[in-house]
Amino acid sequence: MRIGMVGLGRMGGNMAERLRRGGHEVIGYDRDPRVSDVGSLAELVDRLQPPRTVWVMVPSGEPTRAVVAELAELLSPGDLVVDGGNSHYADDRGHAERLGAKGIGFVDVGVSGGVWGLHQGYALMVGGTEEDVRRLMPIFETLKPEGEDGFVHAGGHGAGHFAKMVHNGIEYGMMQALAEGWELLEASDLVTDVAGCFRSWRSGTVIRSWLLDLLVRALEEDEELSRLRGYAEDSGEGRWAVQAAVEHAVPLPVITAALYARFASRQPDSPAMKVVAALRNQFGGHAVTSAEGGRAKGADSPGADVAPPIETEK
């Protein structure tokens, strides 16, 4: 097939290369002229023969909405737009309606595989009509890993990105569990080979997984992870998963806690913990640490003022 690819970053560029290796003709457009085959979206559309297929791999939100809006004006009835980025599922129905009014098809695809996808294939979670999905199957077959797994037509418009959102939420929880396990092992005086523990778990255990393999790889490169700062961004899909859980009244304690842990990682000095420390000092006289790093006396420390007596109701 001939396909246009908009966005040739780490994911889009590797996906375009995998498609080319699979025998497809890919015409790529990117704002970076060093990697782009054409100078504009209009030129990209002109280079494709009807019925055209354009796959969009740009950041979610306004960048994706802007590209889809521009394509709606450039494409013709019978053409097809694929959003393979990490878009919010709620945007997909709007795109489908806007493009459908002009006779243009729309398919949303949640893509997982990261930088390894070029060689190992990409897991694809697809939303759209049976007709549009069937038309894209040669592309999907090339992008997905070999074998039966790695692809699902999850449902109608929005289902692909909804499935990917849940996938990423699960990923948040799994990564957080591995991270907490590593921290606890590091804190123990009993365990002297933390990295070895994780290596040993790769075979014969119920927690063996690709994420565990990647953690072992990271520890082999830097056993103490001393070159890293304890700061983690979130892609947005963890937030959307928690929001969707509230809307559907589905409890997500693990995924929610993992998301909040990422928020906490961005606070060099937690405002909430300041309140907790102040309250502990007030009600229990517990010592607190000053902003300058010194340790202030608590109410029960030698030389501290005696805490006022508690008045009882008369």
Side-chain angles (χ1 to χ4, degrees):
M1 284 184 65
R2 174 180 288 186
I3 186 171
M5 182 71 73
V6 181
L8 301 173
R10 286 177 297 178
M11 286 285 283
N14 280 347
M15 290 170 68
E17 178 59 25
R18 185 174 174 89
L19 288 172
R20 290 187 178 109
R21 293 180 184 181
H24 301 279
E25 181 181 353
V26 180
I27 301 173
Y29 169 67
D30 193 273
R31 291 184 303 175
D32 184 351
R34 295 172 297 178
V35 298
S36 187
D37 299 317
V38 294
S40 66
L41 276 179
E43 186 179 351
L44 173 72
V45 171
D46 287 342
R47 291 272 298 273
L48 297 171
Q49 297 175 352
R52 306 172 184 87
T53 298
V54 180
W55 189 303
V56 180
M57 288 296 293
V58 300
S60 63
E62 188 53 39
T64 294
R65 289 191 285 268
V67 170
V68 172
E70 187 172 353
L71 287 173
E73 302 303 319
L74 294 170
L75 295 174
S76 305
D79 293 343
L80 183 57
V81 174
V82 182
D83 178 9
N86 285 332
S87 293
H88 192 278
Y89 65 91
D91 288 347
D92 294 324
R93 287 190 177 181
H95 293 328
E97 291 173 1
R98 179 171 191 167
L99 294 167
K102 296 177 175 289
I104 303 167
F106 177 79
V107 172
D108 57 281
V109 183
V111 182
S112 181
V115 296
W116 302 84
L118 172 60
H119 302 291
Q120 298 183 3
Y122 299 90
L124 306 173
M125 294 143 270
V126 179
T129 67
E130 288 284 352
E131 180 182 0
D132 288 340
V133 172
R134 192 181 311 115
R135 171 175 157 185
L136 289 166
M137 283 310 299
I139 296 296
F140 295 148
E141 290 288 350
T142 301
L143 288 174
K144 68 181 285 295
E146 294 183 5
E148 297 181 2
D149 299 325
F151 172 87
V152 62
H153 181 189
H157 296 124
H161 282 143
F162 193 96
K164 177 58 164 44
M165 175 192 73
V166 175
H167 164 280
N168 278 28
I170 294 170
E171 177 188 298
Y172 275 45
M174 293 173 67
M175 287 194 291
Q176 185 64 24
L178 289 169
E180 291 175 7
W182 176 81
E183 184 173 1
L184 182 56
L185 286 171
E186 284 285 344
S188 170
D189 294 331
L190 294 174
V191 178
T192 57
D193 187 1
V194 173
C197 288
F198 283 97
R199 280 194 299 271
S200 73
W201 294 343
R202 296 173 71 184
S203 298
T205 72
V206 296
I207 65 168
R208 60 187 184 272
S209 64
W210 189 47
L211 284 175
L212 179 60
D213 293 340
L214 293 177
L215 177 55
V216 169
R217 185 172 183 266
L219 293 174
E220 287 174 348
E221 295 174 354
D222 182 6
E223 187 168 348
E224 302 294 331
L225 301 180
S226 57
R227 296 196 296 269
L228 299 177
R229 179 188 166 203
Y231 179 101
E233 282 287 1
D234 66 286
S235 63
E237 290 182 300
R239 302 186 191 203
W240 299 337
V242 172
Q243 292 166 357
V246 173
E247 293 170 4
H248 293 277
V250 174
L252 296 187
V254 172
I255 294 173
T256 302
L259 174 65
Y260 287 175
R262 295 198 183 189
F263 295 162
S265 78
R266 301 168 204 171
Q267 296 179 321
D269 185 19
S270 169
M273 286 302 103
K274 289 183 179 182
V275 175
V276 171
L279 288 172
R280 292 182 74 246
N281 178 256
Q282 290 294 320
F283 71 68
H286 302 289
V288 295
T289 302
S290 69
E292 291 75 23
R295 192 165 177 77
K297 293 179 179 179
D300 55 354
S301 303
D305 293 335
V306 177
I310 299 176
E311 294 185 3
T312 58
E313 185 176 344
K314 297 180 180 178

